[in-house]
Amino acid sequence: MHSEVVEVKRVFIGAGCNRIVNNVSWGASGLVSFGAHNAVAIFSPKSAQILTTLPGHKAVVNCTHWLPTSKFLFKAKGLEQHYLLSGDADGAIILWELSLIDGKWRQVSQLPQSHKKGVTCINGLMVSQTEAMFASTSSDGTVCVWELVFPLTSRGDCKLSCLDSFSVGSKSMVALSLAELPGGGGQIVLAMGGLDNKIHLYCGGRTGKLVHACELKGHTDWIRSLDFSLPISINGEVNNIFLVSSSQDKAIRIWKMALVSSVSNGHGIYKKEEMSLSSYIKGPVLVAGSSSFQISLESLLIGHEDWVYSVQWQPPVEMEGNAYYQPQSILSASMDKTMMIWQPEKTSGVWMNVVTVGELSHCALGFYGGHWSPNGDSILAHGYGGSFHLWKNVGYDNWLTQKVPSGHFASVTDIGWARSGDYIMSVSHDQTTRIFAPWKVEASLQDGEFWYEISRPQVHGHDINCLAVVHSKGNHRFVGGADEKVARVFEAPLSFLKTLNNATLQKSSSDDVLNGVQILGANMSALGLSQKPIYAQAVNEASERNGTDGIDTLETIPEAVPTVFTEPPIEDQLAWHTLWPESHKLYGHGNELFSLCCDHRGELVASSCKAQSAAVAEVWLWQVGSWKTVGRLQSHSLTVTQMEFSHDDRFLLTVSRDRQFSVFTITRTGSGEVSYSLLARQEGHKRIIWSCSWNPHGHEFATGSRDKTVKIWGVEKESSVKQLLTLPQFTSSVTALSWAGLHDQKNAGILAVGMENGQIELWSLSYNRADDGSITTPGLAAALLVRVDPFICHASTVNRLAWKKSEEDHLSMQLASCGADNCVRVFDINVVE
């Protein structure tokens, strides 16, 4: 085993977007960056897959910003590296470098003496093809201005320097935009806005020392977003630049800055513009170096019904002969669940809303930001549910929704593979249960399989802590446990079974299951607790009934329409039309549920809850099917953190906060009765035991603890437990374990170890054999096979690891993991002999 090499490849990452304004950026590289808890995630809109996550932040990521962004695509030609900035809730800013040739990332540096409190916005400007300036704001009331010089060769290093840092007082700024002023003076203008409802303009030269020039008043609530256009040519002279601003006052304002005088040629010529309707409100004059700019309110755009969180000019479009021009087109995103595109009317020049998308979504609860693709044919929003929404202009302003990655927007607490191995199911503190699966496409269309979220079986009113997939024959079932005393049992509806057939390209192979299922789907409840079934025969009646009374009260929630999908569903469909009906509630525990497991035959489910006393720390056993209580196992005095049945279902192992583990013998009589007895209980570790896992081919098991150790134990002669081995101390608390068997019995398989710092290691376990082949004591030896690359691991605590039960080739296996970084991950593990 030790001579083998193990390759670990990323197959899939599912993650939701932090629910924070300024979190998302669409780069000139074509890739989108966003914060997923304390990781920076990168996704490709072309494949709708998350490509990687960048570990390094110790706090939640608030904002990301590409250099160059889609706005500066025309300056990105010939660049071999692109850069990405990310700022977090502790005030740290990290600079990352992406090599476009091989797609590899590296952390270049953490910016020195950054902010004392959370970073609220980062915005940059490409001054030339190899020089950028950017500014950052923070809730500590400071603004920093930086310069970044790109390397000339792919092996060179970039140079980063802080040009200026100044305080803006107690009203912190949450939006900013940088631009180079027209007129050839090389002057930089910085606009920022925030809690004092005013837009502050600062000016300065390329050295970055900025002085306060003037302020623009008009908005009556917090300013949320600012974006400068590139210099715009009017009547052949490129002397104007526009600034668009949006606010919580629901309005969008477009400000025009027109060059009125320049003393560069010796005599100051003051050109008075002919009075036009558009410049009826004269604003202040901005003095920048030797130039002056008259500012006027060009337009006031009213149309949104709630806070407007973001506005963005469409990126410049390439013309013939390498010329670029910027369309007069603005994208806005609002908490009213819509994005709008605004353009001036051809004849009158009055700005109008020409496109509105998103108004149908029941579930988005509003958008936090909107972004243009580099070529302007797609628009992306991120919403309250951590979700992305993408529309593409397929021609003549016909904007159609596109596939996007999705995932949880809070810590993912538990994960399990389907009995068939066709999908994984995850539960989270975001109060949802989600199913992710590889959506197979006929081989001719694409290479490799892409994973998507294909169902959201449960949308709940409590944080969900644990789940157990039921492994018995028949329909797909799972049990979920949340911050309530009841465990809930769910059964797959017909619409899911048919969707799964489409995803796996099975031409309805499981007809025996389909015939027995009468339930099409489920409806959400008003409080988000029980999900009621929708029966096949009831659907026709509902459609007739809905036509008559259009009374909308608090209790009525739009009827779900259980749908069979022929391609991966999008957010709206997932949140509404893919629920599973709840078939049973399991009452008995005294506190919030904490862990669940099912035996390998699919006959018993064990459950535990949060506990401070022995009476509450009981493990309950439930019979699958009748869902009767068949046992209450007493042994621990604090919360049982994880449980697992041995693979022959003869033992149940439980580990607890009380630092003990227990092994129970489970006996089944012919009549289906279950009896149990405590075989062993002992203190296994010096701190909380977080996780445990059985050897699939034997009666050995592993325990992992906050004391940073993993110990291997063996059940001897079915009467006692003996310690066989302690693995070398790990660098961080061990929070997840999963043991996979290899099909040749010479080896005891591979143990996957997940830690609090997000790292995953794979260890090979082998039996010590004497020359004659008999096993010598102490039985087992362990060796580190591989430390998984941090760039494909989690960025904070690994909560659960689960191997896919593979029947066929043991040299290629799949491992799923979930973590506190909101991510669900799937890895391919190939043993190269």
Side-chain angles (χ1 to χ4, degrees):
M1 183 78 188
H2 303 291
S3 59
E4 291 159 359
V5 181
V6 172
E7 293 177 342
V8 181
K9 287 217 282 292
R10 170 199 63 79
V11 177
F12 168 68
I13 302 170
C17 180
N18 291 343
R19 307 196 278 179
I20 303 168
V21 184
N22 300 331
N23 184 21
V24 176
S25 178
W26 199 329
S29 59
L31 302 177
V32 174
S33 60
F34 67 97
H37 194 253
N38 58 341
V40 178
I42 307 294
F43 92 79
S44 158
K46 283 195 182 64
S47 64
Q49 300 287 295
I50 296 175
L51 303 180
T52 189
T53 53
L54 310 178
H57 286 283
K58 295 183 175 55
V60 168
V61 175
N62 282 349
C63 47
T64 64
H65 189 78
W66 282 93
L67 292 174
T69 55
S70 51
K71 180 179 185 174
F72 293 102
L73 177 66
F74 65 99
K75 284 192 175 162
K77 292 231 163 101
L79 286 180
E80 294 182 1
Q81 282 99 339
H82 283 216
Y83 292 85
L84 179 67
L85 294 153
S86 55
D88 69 26
D90 283 349
I93 297 175
I94 295 180
L95 173 67
W96 311 88
E97 179 184 88
L98 165 66
S99 157
L100 291 182
I101 299 158
D102 56 8
K104 291 247 183 327
W105 285 89
R106 72 183 183 99
Q107 182 175 327
V108 179
S109 65
Q110 181 156 338
L111 273 57
Q113 86 265 350
S114 294
H115 302 281
K116 308 238 179 342
K117 288 187 181 164
V119 182
T120 51
C121 187
I122 301 174
N123 192 279
L125 159 74
M126 296 293 292
V127 184
S128 70
Q129 192 176 8
T130 54
E131 288 169 282
M133 284 175 72
F134 64 92
S136 56
T137 61
S138 158
S139 33
D140 64 6
T142 60
V143 176
C144 296
V145 183
W146 309 80
E147 180 182 52
L148 180 68
V149 182
F150 290 19
L152 294 167
T153 65
S154 60
R155 296 216 163 60
D157 279 329
C158 56
K159 290 202 251 324
L160 179 72
S161 45
C162 182
L163 300 176
D164 198 5
S165 174
F166 53 92
S167 168
V168 294
S170 60
K171 295 270 180 142
S172 76
M173 296 290 137
V174 295
L176 43 90
S177 184
L178 274 168
E180 207 169 353
L181 284 168
Q187 289 282 312
I188 302 294
V189 60
L190 168 67
M192 56 189 175
L195 282 55
D196 65 357
N197 309 351
K198 292 184 274 206
I199 299 167
H200 303 265
L201 295 176
Y202 287 75
C203 285
R206 284 289 315 285
T207 54
K209 284 282 176 251
L210 299 177
V211 293
H212 190 274
C214 62
E215 41 192 53
L216 308 180
K217 298 177 182 151
H219 285 294
T220 56
D221 203 340
W222 292 11
I223 288 167
R224 276 305 190 163
S225 181
L226 295 164
D227 191 29
F228 276 111
S229 70
L230 294 173
I232 281 177
S233 153
I234 294 181
N235 308 333
E237 291 184 0
V238 188
N239 287 337
N240 302 276
I241 187 168
F242 289 95
L243 172 67
V244 61
S245 60
S246 76
S247 159
Q248 289 181 187
D249 65 11
K250 309 176 189 176
I252 298 165
R253 288 169 181 260
I254 303 174
W255 311 84
K256 178 181 181 184
M257 300 166 67
L259 182 68
V260 285
S261 74
S262 179
V263 286
S264 53
N265 54 3
H267 8 262
I269 305 165
Y270 192 93
K271 287 219 311 251
K272 186 104 173 79
E273 282 195 27
E274 65 281 6
M275 283 300 286
S276 69
L277 179 67
S278 60
S279 57
Y280 71 99
I281 300 181
K282 280 279 179 273
V285 171
L286 172 93
V287 179
S290 57
S291 307
S292 310
F293 291 84
Q294 172 68 57
I295 302 179
S296 55
L297 179 66
E298 172 80 5
S299 190
L300 173 64
L301 311 184
I302 306 282
H304 283 295
E305 292 164 17
D306 207 335
W307 299 358
V308 186
Y309 268 142
S310 88
V311 280
Q312 201 179 69
W313 289 94
Q314 183 176 335
V317 184
E318 189 171 7
M319 310 279 286
E320 285 121 38
N322 281 348
Y324 277 82
Y325 95 103
Q326 184 164 35
Q328 295 243 325
S329 181
I330 290 171
L331 175 70
S332 61
S334 161
M335 277 311 268
D336 66 8
K337 309 179 191 179
T338 65
M339 282 207 299
M340 294 182 177
I341 297 176
W342 307 79
Q343 290 167 359
E345 210 186 41
K346 295 270 188 303
T347 49
S348 67
V350 175
W351 283 77
M352 309 284 285
N353 157 25
V354 291
V355 174
T356 304
V357 294
E359 64 267 83
L360 296 173
S361 57
H362 323 287
C363 53
L365 282 172
F367 292 143
Y368 281 120
H371 300 269
W372 290 97
S373 64
N375 64 2
D377 73 350
S378 300
I379 51 177
L380 175 78
H382 64 109
Y384 179 80
S387 55
F388 285 107
H389 307 259
L390 179 65
W391 289 268
K392 186 171 182 176
N393 185 359
V394 294
Y396 308 107
D397 267 347
N398 180 14
W399 295 82
L400 296 183
T401 52
Q402 306 292 308
K403 289 198 280 280
V404 283
S406 70
H408 294 283
F409 57 86
S411 175
V412 189
T413 45
D414 203 352
I415 197 166
W417 285 91
R419 180 186 70 230
S420 58
D422 286 332
Y423 58 83
I424 51 176
M425 184 176 271
S426 58
V427 294
S428 159
H429 285 165
D430 71 5
Q431 309 191 343
T432 65
T433 302
R434 300 179 190 232
I435 289 177
F436 299 96
W439 195 283
K440 297 191 171 71
V441 176
E442 303 293 352
S444 56
L445 296 176
Q446 68 178 36
D447 51 328
E449 53 182 34
F450 290 146
W451 285 63
Y452 299 100
E453 185 179 347
I454 65 164
S455 176
R456 204 166 295 169
Q458 187 183 10
V459 178
H460 202 42
H462 291 287
D463 292 8
I464 311 176
N465 301 320
C466 50
L467 92 153
V469 174
V470 177
H471 292 298
S472 41
K473 291 269 178 283
N475 196 4
H476 302 257
R477 287 178 289 185
F478 74 95
V479 187
D483 272 350
E484 50 175 355
K485 301 173 185 180
V486 193
R488 296 170 185 271
V489 184
F490 295 87
E491 198 159 319
L494 202 56
S495 56
F496 172 77
L497 298 172
K498 291 181 171 173
T499 297
L500 185 64
N501 281 343
N502 290 335
T504 54
L505 292 181
Q506 289 166 352
K507 306 285 184 256
S508 62
S509 56
S510 50
D511 272 344
D512 51 330
V513 173
L514 293 180
N515 291 338
V517 177
Q518 297 297 311
I519 296 174
L520 276 187
N523 259 322
M524 188 107 56
S525 75
L527 295 174
L529 294 174
S530 298
Q531 292 167 191
K532 302 282 183 282
I534 299 173
Y535 291 95
Q537 69 272 18
V539 172
N540 307 333
E541 299 161 23
S543 57
E544 292 162 20
R545 192 176 68 244
N546 277 2
T548 54
D549 51 60
I551 307 162
D552 190 20
T553 64
L554 185 68
E555 280 71 41
T556 63
I557 283 180
E559 290 277 328
V561 185
T563 312
V564 177
F565 294 103
T566 52
E567 58 179 54
I570 57 169
E571 175 68 19
D572 252 26
Q573 300 163 325
L574 284 167
W576 225 244
H577 307 312
T578 65
L579 293 167
W580 288 21
E582 190 181 300
S583 62
H584 291 87
K585 293 183 184 60
L586 311 183
Y587 293 100
H589 283 290
N591 275 331
E592 299 91 337
L593 285 158
F594 196 81
S595 75
L596 283 161
C597 75
C598 181
D599 67 359
H600 296 83
R601 296 178 213 177
E603 292 172 2
L604 288 176
V605 167
S607 60
S608 76
C609 70
K610 295 178 187 173
Q612 299 287 335
S613 66
V616 185
E618 296 178 319
V619 170
W620 288 57
L621 289 182
W622 312 86
Q623 191 169 37
V624 171
S626 72
W627 300 106
K628 289 190 174 68
T629 314
V630 291
R632 290 165 66 170
L633 283 54
Q634 285 156 342
S635 173
H636 295 284
S637 56
L638 294 171
T639 308
V640 171
T641 53
Q642 199 184 348
M643 308 173 286
E644 197 175 278
F645 285 91
S646 63
H647 285 251
D648 58 7
D649 288 337
R650 277 156 68 184
F651 303 108
L652 174 65
L653 167 66
T654 60
V655 296
S656 163
R657 287 184 102 93
D658 64 14
R659 308 170 187 185
Q660 317 257 342
F661 68 78
S662 305
V663 178
F664 297 90
T665 311
I666 307 288
T667 341
R668 296 169 169 84
T669 62
S671 60
E673 298 290 307
V674 174
S675 63
Y676 49 89
S677 59
L678 180 63
L679 179 138
R681 174 178 74 218
Q682 71 190 71
E683 178 152 322
H685 292 268
K686 295 278 178 283
R687 307 289 299 277
I688 291 172
I689 308 179
W690 281 124
S691 58
C692 61
S693 189
W694 286 94
N695 174 3
H697 296 305
H699 286 157
E700 296 85 17
F701 61 87
T703 55
S705 159
R706 183 181 275 172
D707 66 11
K708 304 184 182 176
T709 61
V710 171
K711 296 182 181 179
I712 312 284
W713 315 78
V715 180
E716 308 261 304
K717 301 188 181 63
E718 307 208 357
S719 61
S720 65
V721 169
K722 182 170 151 205
Q723 185 175 340
L724 303 176
L725 184 65
T726 301
L727 269 57
Q729 181 127 10
F730 290 88
T731 51
S732 178
S733 297
V734 175
T735 50
L737 292 171
S738 187
W739 194 329
L742 292 169
H743 286 262
D744 51 346
Q745 299 288 308
K746 296 193 294 295
N747 295 313
I750 299 179
L751 182 66
V753 180
M755 288 169 265
E756 191 175 25
N757 62 6
Q759 296 299 296
I760 297 172
E761 294 184 2
L762 302 181
W763 288 72
S764 79
L765 298 171
S766 50
Y767 295 111
N768 300 335
R769 292 181 186 273
D771 296 337
D772 61 357
S774 62
I775 294 177
T776 61
T777 52
L780 281 173
L784 175 64
L785 270 178
V786 65
R787 283 197 174 93
V788 181
D789 176 1
F791 277 80
I792 60 175
C793 281
H794 291 273
S796 58
T797 310
V798 181
N799 285 332
R800 188 73 84 231
L801 292 163
W803 290 96
K804 177 175 173 178
K805 310 267 182 297
S806 67
E807 302 306 320
E808 56 286 359
D809 173 16
H810 71 274
L811 295 179
S812 71
M813 301 150 74
Q814 282 194 325
L815 175 68
S817 68
C818 65
D821 60 358
N822 308 357
C823 291
V824 169
R825 296 166 188 267
V826 180
F827 304 95
D828 265 342
I829 316 285
N830 287 310
V831 182
V832 187
E833 301 211 328

